[in-house]
Amino acid sequence: MEAAVVLLAVAVVALAVQLARSEAQLRAIARFLVNRESASNARVALSVRTRGFVQLAQAVNRQIDRHQGERVAAEEAKRELRRGLTYLSHDIRTPLAGAQGYAQLLAAEEDEALRARYLDVVSRRLDDVGGLLDQLYAYAQVQDPDHRIEREPVDVGQVLAESLASLYGQFKERGWEPGIRLADEPLVADSNADALARIFRNLAVNALRYGCEPPRIVQEGRTVAFANRVADPDGVDAERLFERFYQGDAARGGGGSGLGLAIVAQLARALRIEATARLDGDVLTVELGFPE
């Protein structure tokens, strides 16, 4: 009987010690979480290595790792945004400075032929600025979580034809005529005509600005593909084309905002269109896959 009492007492003492150690370990983990700097790489360390505490420490450390990954990604996104805005501000200032310079020449010029020439240059430079600001506004609009796009049955071929017709002047200026091949059966999709027109115009403008020959536009089944040759395929990363502010090496300084294809990707996602890009040799192809 006395031996049983002794064993019970020893067990109680052992449990009390274990409870005290567990309480101390829990307080240590709580202090660690309260005092830990968000940028710190510190992880939970254990002095009590029971299965429950090991699982708790692993769960906490996984959350810390996830938070660290999100923080690093957020910091990189901020750096990318700052770089992109720097590039965009430069792209806006360049044609604006050109317009200001020619406006000064215009004010001092008496020759009517030169005045008309300068006025035309000013107009084109301001059009460039307007285009950049329009792309920036469009991107901000599609990023707005409250922005909603209503869908209805749309004749994709008709929207494509109207979008290309709106760019007739730019194609004529390049001396280009795009090659267009549409399937005999009209492609009707649950979409939004205005958003789809923006997608088609951005893809066509991208081909006009950075391509080195007229684009080929082909509709087969429920897929519409824009394809054009590029002068510097090594400077194009097809996997990054839909990133915000991304511009290939040859595109930098070409007057673009780096937002055109990012807008395509955002609108395509909203319309449930699968947008993909690939580079085959020197031919860049962007495909739009419409849902059934």
Side-chain angles (χ1 to χ4, degrees):
M1 184 66 178
E2 291 180 359
V5 172
V6 170
L7 288 175
L8 181 60
V10 170
V12 169
V13 171
L15 287 173
V17 170
Q18 182 63 32
L19 180 62
R21 291 183 64 202
S22 298
E23 179 72 16
Q25 182 69 82
L26 287 172
R27 287 198 300 269
I29 293 174
R31 284 195 303 271
F32 168 82
L33 293 175
V34 169
N35 298 326
R36 178 182 172 275
E37 296 290 337
S38 61
S40 171
N41 290 320
R43 298 293 184 270
V44 171
L46 295 176
S47 59
V48 177
R49 301 196 63 81
T50 63
R51 179 181 299 177
F53 276 110
V54 169
Q55 290 177 346
L56 174 61
Q58 290 173 342
V60 170
N61 288 337
R62 279 196 298 270
Q63 290 298 320
I64 291 174
D65 290 339
R66 185 177 295 114
H67 173 73
Q68 287 289 80
E70 292 172 352
R71 185 182 63 81
V72 170
E75 288 298 323
E76 178 57 32
K78 288 180 182 179
R79 287 192 292 270
E80 179 200 348
L81 179 60
R82 286 194 293 268
R83 287 194 300 268
L85 290 176
T86 298
Y87 290 144
L88 184 59
S89 64
H90 175 269
D91 291 339
I92 291 175
R93 283 199 303 268
T94 298
L96 188 58
Q100 291 172 332
Y102 275 96
Q104 292 173 357
L105 292 174
L106 178 64
E109 184 58 58
E110 296 181 357
D111 184 278
E112 288 301 321
L114 283 176
R115 286 178 61 85
R117 177 184 170 189
Y118 294 159
L119 185 60
D120 179 65
V121 173
V122 170
S123 177
R124 284 189 281 115
R125 295 293 186 273
L126 292 179
D127 284 344
D128 290 340
V129 174
L132 291 168
L133 294 176
D134 178 61
Q135 292 284 55
L136 184 59
Y137 171 76
Y139 183 77
Q141 188 178 43
V142 298
Q143 289 293 104
D144 184 352
D146 295 327
H147 181 61
R148 295 289 181 267
I149 297 179
E150 301 296 331
R151 292 190 297 272
E152 62 182 358
V154 171
D155 185 330
V156 173
Q158 181 179 345
V159 175
L160 174 61
E162 292 173 356
S163 302
L164 295 175
S166 70
L167 297 171
Y168 171 77
Q170 295 185 44
F171 277 108
K172 184 178 180 181
E173 187 176 339
R174 291 292 303 267
W176 284 2
E177 182 176 343
I180 306 172
R181 190 176 81 240
L182 303 180
D184 295 334
E185 186 71 20
L187 170 55
V188 178
D190 186 31
S191 190
N192 178 281
D194 291 336
L196 191 56
R198 164 73 72 170
I199 289 174
F200 288 149
R201 282 197 300 271
N202 282 13
L203 290 174
V205 168
N206 187 74
L208 276 164
R209 183 170 289 139
Y210 306 125
C212 57
E213 70 176 17
R216 299 185 302 279
I217 305 167
V218 178
Q219 179 244 319
E220 292 181 349
R222 303 194 70 79
T223 299
V224 176
F226 282 68
N228 61 274
R229 291 181 58 238
V230 293
D232 181 22
D234 292 335
V236 177
D237 185 348
E239 294 183 357
R240 297 187 58 204
L241 280 180
F242 296 119
E243 291 182 11
R244 177 184 61 191
F245 297 126
Y246 171 76
Q247 290 180 288
D249 294 343
R252 176 55 57 198
S257 65
L259 293 174
L261 294 186
I263 293 170
V264 167
Q266 293 282 350
L267 289 175
R269 190 175 300 114
L271 296 174
R272 298 198 296 270
I273 297 171
E274 183 180 2
T276 58
R278 69 176 186 272
L279 190 63
D280 302 311
D282 64 348
V283 177
L284 174 64
T285 302
V286 177
E287 284 190 350
L288 303 173
F290 290 80
E292 296 290 342

